Every structure is written in C-alpha cells, then in structure tokens.
Amino acid sequence: MNIKILKSENIEKYIINDYKPLIKYDENIKYNDANVKPEFNFYELDGYSYFEKNFDIKERIIGFGEKAKHIIKNRERLIFYNYDQAGYTRDSDPLYVSVPFFISVSNNITGYFINNPSRIEIDIGLKNYNKIEAKIDDSGFELFVIHGNSIEDVIKTFTEITGRTFVPPRWALGHQISRYSYYPDRTVINVVKEYRKYIDVSAVYLDIDYMDDYKIFTFDKERFPDIKKFKEELNAMGTRLITIIDPGFKIDQLYKYFINGIGKYVINSNNEIYISRLWPGNCAFLNFLDADSYNYWKSCVKEFAENVDGIWLDMNEPALFNDERTISGSALHYTNNGFIKHSKIHNAYSLLEAKATYEALKEIKDEFFILSRSGYPGIQRYAAIWTGDNKASDDDLKLQISMIVSMNLSGIMICGCDLGGFFGYSSPELISRYYKAAMLFPFFRNHKVKEGNDQEIYLLPEKYRNEIIETVNERYKFIDYIYSIIKLSSLTGVPVIRPIFYNDPYDETAYYIEDEYMLGDVLYAPDISDTEVYLPSGRWINITTFEEFNGKSYIKRDKNSIFIKLNSAVIYDGSIIIYGNGDFKLYYPDELLIKAGEDSIIFSRPVKSVIIPLKKAKATGDNIKYEYNDKYTKISGNLKEIKFQ
C-alpha cells in the first residue's frame, strides 16, 4: 500500500494509494512532505482500504455529523452512505448526511477526517475493544489528522479544510412553516394569515403538490395560476416563499427540462440514460461531475427561481423508488478522466447539487436561502440541513438535541429539525415541547406529513398555543445573537450550537447531559424534562434573574433556565449583556469590538443598550438613560464608553 504523508502546522494529510479526490479540499493550505513512519495502520483487502488506530480506554469520540445516536459515539458501528431513513428513530443508521469526521478527546484532542464519498463503515471499539477501524469502499482515500489544544481548535481547522458556513439572510432565522402539502394558493395565504394572528411566519414552504404532475421547475397552473402575484402577496405580509425541488427529471418528450438535459444524465453500462422512479414516475438524474450537466442545473434554477425566495432540496441522497432506494452503485458518471461508478461519488451527490444551486441563486439574487436534506463535508458553505423525516416522540425530542450538537461539532452549523415531528401523532403538549427544545436551533421550522395530525398553532388548545407563542417570542429575543454567532462562525469556524462540555472537555459529567445545549456562550436547558439542570465548570448567571451560580453543580429546571457564561458578551432582547471581563466580537449587525476590563467597557462604535449584571456604572455618550436595581445596571442611549462605580 502506497502512503504519502504531508504536514502543515497542525494537520497531517495521508494520501492512500495515490487517491485522486473527487471532492477536493484544503487547496489553500500549504503542506510539506513528511518523511515519517505512519502512526496508524493502513491496509487493503478484497478491494477495500482500511484505516485503523488505537482506542484508549478513557478516550471519548464525538462528531460524525447527522447520526441518530448519543453525543458520545464510543462502542458504535456507523455507516456513511446517504440514505432516506423515513420515520427514523434512535439508532437508525445510516441517515441522510454523511460526515466521516470525528474528534478524539483523551490526553490530546485530535480530529480525523476521511475524504472519500463512497460507502464508509467506522467501528469505534465494538469489534475490537481497543481499536477504531474504518473500512472504505475504494482502493484509496485521504485522511486528515488535525491537532489542537481544544475542541474549538480542531473544528476551526476542520472548517478551514472543508469550508466555513454560509450566512443566511436574517429572515431565514425566524419561525417558518411547512406541510406536505399546503395548496392551492389561497389556502397557503389563509394559513399564513391565521398563523400571523399569533406569531411571526418568516417563510412558508411548498411541498411537491405545487408542481405540475410532480415535474421539477414547474407550477400547477390550477393550484398556483399566478406565482408572481402569489409571492408578492406573501412578501407583503413579511413572509418569504420557499419551494421544494427533487433531483429527478421526468422522462417526458413534452417536458422541456428533460429534453434539454439529454446528454447530461447519469447513464448505465450500455450508455443509455439511467432511469429510476421518483414522484413523477420514471426519471433521469443529472451528472453533476460533468461541467455541462452542472451548468444545465444552474440554468434551470435561475429560470425557475425568479418567483421564489429560496430552494428546498429534497430526496437528494438521492432517494428513489427502487430496490436499492437510490441510484444504482453501478450507474456511471462521465468526467474528464473517464467514467466513475455512482458508488464512488454517492455521498457527495447532494453536495454538488447544493453547490450548483447556490451559485445559480447568487448570480440572480441579493439574498436567498437553501435547505438541503442530504450532504457531505462542505455542504455548510451552501445550504442549511434539517434532520429529515423524524418520528414524533419524547425520545426523538432529546435525540434531536444530540443530532444538532453533533452536526455543529462536524462543521454543519445551520441546522434544525421538523418541529412536532414529521411522522407520527404529536399531541399539542408534544408540539409545544418540540418548540421549546429547538428554541435556539439555527433553523426553526414546523413541518408535518400528509397523514399526520394538524400542527398549526391556530388549531391547538389555548394552553399549548400560548406556550408556543411564548417560546417563539423568546427565540426572537435571541435572533440578533444567533445571527452574530453564525457570522462569527462564517469567519472563524467556531460552532454555533455547542455541547455543554465545549469549554471544558474534561468535565466528565457534561458528556452525559443531552437535554441542554449552548448557543455561543449561552447555555439553554429547555423545559422538557423533570431532571435538574447541570451547569458545567465555570461561573454562570441567569439571563433574566441575574442570579449567579457556580459550575459543576445541579439546579432546578424551569422555563427560565437560560444562563450566560462568565466573561461573555451576548445580545438579548435588544441589549448587549456583558458579564465579566474580556475582549469580545459581536456582529450587531456589523462588527462590534468590546473591551471589558475591571474598571470600564470600551466599544469600537456607539451602541444603543447595555446591561451590566451585578455592577453600578455610568456611561459617556448622548441621550443616556439609566435603570438601576440590585441585580444590574441597564444603560440606553448612544453609548461610547462605560465606567464602573
């Protein structure tokens, strides 16, 4: 087996058997040849290549992206082959997104990323108690080994390799609604109007029933006779329009998008168009590895998207109605270097589709939003991810927290779940609990299958409707901070949603807390269980009562279980709360630098409202007003500097 090792400051790159990556990363990273003996075991057997490393008895493994598992992945065998696992529950595997990247926390903190978009199996101490073994369905691969002093260091380097998150428009962080399916146009308008009597609806999604016979890039003219006027009416209410797009082009000689794509599709071994079934019937599928095919998709998107605000990429694993549930592994993609079997590019199909969609929309729109069900490392540059077709349950409620945390640990920062659960019956109480659990997720959308119960807020009992209103309103108090953390992530690679052991990876208790999470420096313990809140190491203050707590302690959980870490600056309800000392960077909306010391706080530009917990203070600036009590000082006006008394 041929092994080439390259080295940068904190990355070792292993190239196995001269592998030529189909998805290229790290092109801006400078490496030097490393003439060292590999510390890992690499071997090949029966056409597969293998990577093996020792697994210490105190080592913890986290990451791996979208997996229906606990945050700790020890003693698991995981499969990476994008798959439509409809109605999944805990331990269903594989799912829609493949991220063969993990972080090892032991005496050292190290990241491992296997770049090969074919099927991969990774065994974490299950087959062999003291080994981690990866089996790659190819003769070669790239392995990136990332060294860091913290979990944050490793993630920042991983996203330097694979790309940093896109920054969505602010409206895409608001409360969104969907149903399989809302139609016709007047029904959609009326649903939005009813919702908006109670809470904001920043976007509404149209599922496949808006199309003409389920043909992509079309509208049913009876259900949506004037899509331009329809979009304008929604936009006038403050609601954006996002439409679903699947990957299959219906085989239809009168369907221009299929006809114009001939010569650009995935083929079989007889050089015929590879055909399989999707919603409209027999379909063909573009070969995104070919430049002409890639550009053809872009042209279709640009023509279609004039009258929508965003695109929802679904079924893009791809998920098909055949025995394999996807494109056959033996189907062929043409490239400049010859033909490649689909099995060798499968996990990256959705990544290339999302990239083409992003480029197309960027050419015609100042702002837009893309949501994708499937992905591979790098998807974060182009699209948000939702966790697919979950099944409503109390366990799924907590599972979604673990999944969103794990995706952020793996570079996918803008993600969320179907509020209420896509499949299954969700009681009004359970719907409210989903809203609470996901209150600070970057993506926040209510979505339900046709056969499911109605989840619209205006149909729920008053008790649970009021709970949801309260949750949504509380989320909106954090919208500016969610945006600020996403913007910071786009520049530095830090995760948006974090596990509560993020700042202290050696706080052993924190690894087992899966009903809490952090948004930046805010710890949120949603009121979804009877367990006590665990505060990890450090010092914390409640965001509304300003009561202080020591870390590594348990306290009672209630609906106000939201805390700020000492030495942080967060944005909440129009004010900047500065708790402790330090140099902080916020995007509110543009870059704001804050230098908070023992005696004063200095801003790089004037700010409007600041809250200083547990201190008395005076400010310099214009139109200054003060609100004092024994818990905090609130100062508003045109503030330039604050001095403590």
Side-chain angles (χ1 to χ4, degrees):
M1 177 171 269
N2 180 275
I3 303 172
K4 182 177 181 179
I5 307 175
L6 303 176
K7 194 173 180 63
S8 73
E9 182 179 356
N10 56 349
I11 304 170
E12 294 159 11
K13 180 178 179 180
Y14 296 77
I15 303 171
I16 309 303
N17 283 341
D18 299 315
Y19 178 68
K20 302 295 188 296
L22 295 173
I23 304 299
K24 297 179 181 179
Y25 299 108
D26 72 322
E27 293 179 312
N28 296 321
I29 297 176
K30 294 181 180 180
Y31 293 100
N32 296 311
D33 289 336
N35 296 316
V36 297
K37 182 179 179 180
E39 63 175 292
F40 313 111
N41 185 23
F42 298 96
Y43 62 98
E44 50 190 328
L45 181 67
D46 298 331
Y48 295 94
S49 51
Y50 292 81
F51 152 64
E52 187 180 82
K53 72 174 286 292
N54 291 331
F55 185 34
D56 186 77
I57 60 172
K58 289 190 173 182
E59 191 172 353
R60 288 188 174 90
I61 302 301
I62 56 176
F64 288 127
E66 184 188 75
K67 290 293 177 186
K69 303 284 185 177
H70 293 285
I71 293 175
I72 299 176
K73 304 302 192 297
N74 294 23
R75 314 300 162 195
E76 295 280 4
R77 177 180 169 272
L78 303 174
I79 298 172
F80 299 84
Y81 200 73
N82 292 351
Y83 183 74
D84 178 9
Q85 192 82 247
Y88 69 89
T89 55
R90 188 180 296 276
D91 292 327
S92 298
D93 195 58
L95 293 182
Y96 312 92
V97 179
S98 290
V99 185
F101 165 76
F102 65 93
I103 300 173
S104 162
V105 180
S106 57
N107 293 331
N108 300 306
I109 300 178
T110 310
Y112 300 85
F113 170 41
I114 299 169
N115 179 29
N116 187 310
S118 62
R119 179 187 172 98
I120 297 175
E121 298 177 16
I122 302 181
D123 185 296
I124 307 101
L126 192 61
K127 179 182 176 182
N128 293 308
Y129 191 85
N130 63 344
K131 298 288 184 183
I132 294 176
E133 184 180 74
K135 177 184 178 183
I136 298 95
D137 186 10
D138 204 344
S139 60
F141 59 95
E142 292 180 321
L143 172 68
F144 296 85
V145 180
I146 303 166
H147 302 281
N149 295 318
S150 64
I151 292 172
E152 181 172 288
D153 284 349
V154 171
I155 298 171
K156 288 167 76 171
T157 301
F158 176 60
T159 57
E160 182 183 2
I161 293 168
T162 59
R164 302 266 161 80
T165 187
F166 78 105
V167 179
R170 285 173 178 269
W171 57 260
L173 304 178
H175 173 243
Q176 307 180 45
I177 63 169
S178 182
R179 183 76 194 247
Y180 173 35
S181 288
Y182 288 137
Y183 65 86
D185 54 359
R186 296 320 305 171
T187 294
V188 179
I189 293 293
N190 290 334
V191 167
V192 172
K193 285 182 176 179
E194 287 299 317
Y195 255 104
R196 293 183 71 89
K197 291 177 181 178
Y198 302 99
I199 51 177
D200 181 49
V201 177
S202 68
V204 63
Y205 288 66
L206 300 185
D207 213 312
I208 57 174
D209 293 298
Y210 79 85
M211 301 179 196
D212 175 15
D213 196 27
Y214 303 128
K215 296 191 293 285
I216 59 174
F217 303 118
T218 69
F219 286 93
D220 183 310
K221 294 300 184 183
E222 292 187 3
R223 292 174 175 174
F224 296 90
D226 190 338
I227 193 65
K228 183 175 184 293
K229 182 179 178 182
F230 171 65
K231 175 181 176 294
E232 289 173 349
E233 189 170 354
L234 284 172
N235 289 172
M237 290 191 286
T239 301
R240 269 68 173 195
L241 175 64
I242 299 175
T243 49
I244 199 168
I245 296 288
D246 294 327
F249 290 79
K250 180 178 171 61
I251 307 294
D252 182 341
Q253 292 193 97
L254 300 181
Y255 174 41
K256 72 172 185 176
Y257 292 104
F258 165 70
I259 295 299
N260 294 341
I262 290 176
K264 302 176 180 65
Y265 298 117
V266 176
I267 61 174
N268 59 29
S269 58
N270 296 322
N271 293 330
E272 299 167 339
I273 295 174
Y274 171 81
I275 297 173
S276 189
R277 294 184 65 79
L278 228 170
W279 298 112
N282 286 335
C283 289
F285 307 89
L286 284 180
N287 166 27
F288 287 102
L289 288 174
D290 171 64
D292 288 342
S293 303
Y294 184 93
N295 289 328
Y296 178 61
W297 179 268
K298 288 178 61 177
S299 70
C300 294
V301 169
K302 286 193 285 188
E303 181 178 336
F304 172 79
E306 288 184 6
N307 292 311
V308 300
D309 297 298
I311 297 290
W312 171 18
L313 298 172
D314 195 24
M315 306 292 285
N316 57 338
E317 293 73 27
L320 308 181
F321 304 152
N322 60 28
D323 291 342
E324 294 182 66
R325 301 283 300 277
T326 189
I327 293 176
S328 170
S330 63
L332 299 172
H333 296 254
Y334 174 76
T335 74
N336 292 334
N337 297 317
F339 289 100
I340 293 175
K341 288 184 177 181
H342 176 76
S343 61
K344 305 305 180 189
I345 192 64
H346 174 80
N347 286 340
Y349 190 89
S350 53
L351 169 65
L352 297 173
E353 178 199 44
K355 181 174 182 286
T357 304
Y358 179 90
E359 291 175 359
L361 293 177
K362 196 168 182 62
E363 290 174 14
I364 64 171
K365 291 182 178 291
D366 293 330
E367 64 173 34
F368 55 87
F369 182 68
I370 301 171
L371 178 66
S372 177
R373 189 169 76 175
S374 184
Y376 186 70
I379 189 72
Q380 67 270 10
R381 298 171 63 186
Y382 313 112
I385 294 284
W386 95 103
T387 56
D389 299 343
N390 59 327
K391 187 174 181 179
S393 72
D394 283 329
D395 187 59
D396 179 71
L397 199 68
K398 296 177 182 177
L399 175 62
Q400 294 303 324
I401 293 176
S402 300
M403 293 174 70
I404 299 304
V405 165
S406 293
M407 282 200 282
N408 270 259
L409 288 172
S410 309
I412 299 173
M413 311 305 186
I414 305 175
C415 47
C417 68
D418 284 345
L419 302 179
F422 182 68
F423 283 111
Y425 175 77
S426 44
S427 68
E429 179 189 17
L430 186 58
I431 297 168
S432 175
R433 283 154 51 78
Y434 268 99
Y435 270 84
K436 292 174 184 176
M439 186 181 80
L440 298 183
F441 288 177
F443 178 66
F444 193 64
R445 182 187 70 159
N446 183 324
H447 184 48
K448 197 72 173 180
V449 70
K450 282 183 177 181
E451 297 83 1
N453 55 286
D454 292 334
Q455 296 189 152
E456 290 76 14
I457 190 173
Y458 50 84
L459 297 175
L460 300 181
E462 183 178 10
K463 169 181 168 60
Y464 300 109
R465 180 167 65 238
N466 288 341
E467 287 183 3
I468 292 171
I469 291 170
E470 184 177 8
T471 300
V472 172
N473 288 340
E474 185 70 13
R475 174 186 177 81
Y476 274 66
K477 294 177 182 179
F478 282 99
I479 287 285
D480 288 325
Y481 189 55
I482 295 172
Y483 177 85
S484 180
I485 296 296
I486 290 173
K487 179 68 175 178
L488 185 66
S489 178
S490 75
L491 298 171
T492 66
V494 297
V496 177
I497 300 297
R498 305 166 184 180
I500 68 167
F501 55 79
Y502 180 79
N503 295 299
D504 181 1
Y506 301 106
D507 182 344
E508 296 182 358
T509 301
Y511 282 86
Y512 297 92
I513 306 299
E514 297 189 304
D515 55 2
E516 304 172 21
Y517 58 94
M518 294 181 67
L519 166 71
D521 290 322
V522 170
L523 187 150
Y524 175 48
D527 188 17
I528 58 171
S529 70
D530 296 328
T531 61
E532 291 182 304
V533 174
Y534 178 73
L535 296 175
S537 58
R539 191 157 177 81
W540 303 84
I541 194 168
N542 185 285
I543 200 167
T544 54
T545 67
F546 299 102
E547 184 178 358
E548 282 193 296
F549 301 91
N550 290 321
K552 292 194 173 182
S553 63
Y554 291 91
I555 63 172
K556 184 179 179 180
R557 182 187 301 257
D558 59 34
K559 68 178 182 179
N560 296 315
S561 295
I562 308 175
F563 306 89
I564 303 173
K565 181 173 69 70
L566 181 63
N567 300 327
S568 300
V570 306
I571 309 166
Y572 176 71
D573 197 19
S575 294
I576 301 171
I577 303 176
I578 301 171
Y579 175 45
N581 304 329
D583 294 332
F584 310 117
K585 183 182 290 186
L586 298 173
Y587 292 87
Y588 187 38
D590 303 316
E591 183 180 86
L592 171 65
L593 303 179
I594 303 171
K595 188 174 185 63
E598 292 291 341
D599 301 315
S600 65
I601 301 173
I602 301 172
F603 305 99
S604 61
R605 58 177 172 79
V607 299
K608 298 297 184 184
S609 180
V610 174
I611 295 175
I612 314 295
L614 310 176
K615 290 184 178 181
K616 298 290 185 181
K618 288 285 187 180
T620 59
D622 303 315
N623 303 315
I624 295 174
K625 296 180 181 179
Y626 295 94
E627 180 183 330
Y628 291 113
N629 62 41
D630 60 345
K631 292 293 186 180
Y632 63 86
T633 299
K634 182 176 182 180
I635 312 174
S636 58
N638 198 39
L639 313 179
K640 300 175 182 178
E641 183 177 356
I642 293 173
K643 291 186 180 296
F644 301 131
Q645 295 179 307

